[in-house]
Amino acid sequence: MQDVAERKDKLEFNKLQKRLRRQVGSAIVDFNMIEAGDKVMVCLSGGKDSYAMLDILLSLQKTAPIHFDLVAVNLDQKQPGFPEQVLPEYLRSVGVPFQILEKDTYSVVKEKIPEGKTTCGLCSRLRRGTLYSYAEKIGATKIALGHHRDDIVETMFLNMFHGAKLSAMPPKLRSSDGRNIVIRPLAYCKESDLAAFAEAKAFPIIPCNLCGSQENLQRQNIKHMLNEWERAHPGRVEQIFGAIQNIAPSQLADRDLFNFTDLAIDRSGERAEYAFEDASITDWSDGDGVESAKRERGVQYIDAVNL
């Protein structure tokens, strides 16, 4: 029985691994994320998603029809209790070139953010600035981040509900100064698949709450909402992500995105066929027409004037 269970587990893992590799490969092709000669800086946090991203990119690198280089980078932000040896030991074991950056952003965040407030926003901005700068220093042409499909959908709702803005995390992004390209190879991957993959691979996960920050309650609320929708209507999150890829600007209300001001009638071309375009017409302009219409419809009308 144990052998049967082990074979079943192995089969399920192989299916999961193939699915994730296929999804990452599709995202790379669809958004032209990685090109021949690229040097991809893979950002590792020590969480399940970035471990999975590195693992899959390493496997795709071996079979890709083009040559590209990978370098793994972790930013040690000097959070108390951060296990400094975990990532170097793992990265040596998989044989990937890597660098550990050290920058005490933890002290800066603690100084700037009042006690009890979430530190994630400022922390991520400081981390991003350090990584952008280092990417230039080493000549990296792409910066790979481990955000997955669920992150992207959650971010869209966060921006809608709390920022009155319809935006999310794009699979590929050029930084505002134009000096870096960010890619998200896991854009098509489900978080639950990544969690199962990380468990099966026994990645040495480093918790993300070492800084003592409270959870981002707004994001957790969004995640709970989406989980409830998914339970009630399986596939709903996938449908929402599909909608992000199928925007109809003329059906929204962004005047910068679509020119509503200059819309004008143009009846010069061939007209499309309208459904139910041939309607019967009744002349209601005189009493005879009204009485005739009543008789034809067999309807008892009440004369409101005589009520």
Side-chain angles (χ1 to χ4, degrees), residues 47-223:
K48 67 181 191 311
D49 305 323
S50 59
Y51 274 123
M53 175 175 63
L54 176 62
D55 185 282
I56 296 168
L57 288 177
L58 284 170
S59 67
L60 292 178
Q61 185 186 38
K62 296 173 184 176
T63 59
I66 60 172
H67 171 79
F68 61 92
D69 294 315
L70 298 173
V71 56
V73 172
N74 168 256
L75 175 59
D76 179 355
Q77 298 176 267
K78 297 304 174 184
Q79 297 166 343
F82 183 78
E84 297 179 357
Q85 76 287 351
V86 170
L87 277 168
E89 288 177 0
Y90 173 78
L91 294 170
R92 289 190 196 100
S93 73
V94 298
V96 64
F98 70 92
Q99 292 291 336
I100 305 296
L101 310 182
E102 297 185 9
K103 193 158 188 177
D104 188 4
T105 61
Y106 173 81
S107 296
V108 176
V109 169
K110 285 299 182 183
E111 178 185 340
K112 300 289 186 183
I113 303 296
E115 192 68 30
K117 297 292 185 179
T118 183
T119 60
C120 300
L122 177 58
C123 181
S124 63
R125 288 196 297 274
L126 295 174
R127 183 170 61 248
R128 183 166 57 246
T130 304
L131 293 172
Y132 278 9
S133 176
Y134 189 68
E136 285 194 63
K137 183 176 181 179
I138 65 173
T141 52
K142 303 286 170 57
I143 300 172
L145 303 181
H147 299 119
H148 45 69
R149 186 200 68 181
D150 299 69
D151 286 327
I152 293 172
V153 173
E154 289 165 15
T155 300
M156 183 188 73
F157 281 102
L158 275 171
N159 289 334
M160 287 174 60
F161 294 167
H162 302 286
K165 187 177 183 181
L166 190 57
S167 66
M169 294 174 170
K172 186 177 182 181
L173 170 73
R174 186 172 69 172
S175 61
S176 56
D177 62 5
R179 301 179 71 85
N180 286 289
I181 296 287
V182 171
I183 60 173
R184 295 183 169 96
L186 303 181
Y188 290 166
C189 301
K190 296 194 298 184
E191 183 175 17
S192 57
D193 280 351
L194 294 167
F197 184 72
E199 182 178 0
K201 296 282 288 187
F203 294 136
I205 305 296
I206 298 173
C208 64
N209 60 350
L210 293 172
C211 59
S213 174
Q214 296 176 339
E215 282 188 310
N216 187 330
L217 295 180
Q218 292 174 351
R219 182 172 288 275
Q220 292 304 313
N221 289 337
I222 296 294
K223 186 183 291 289

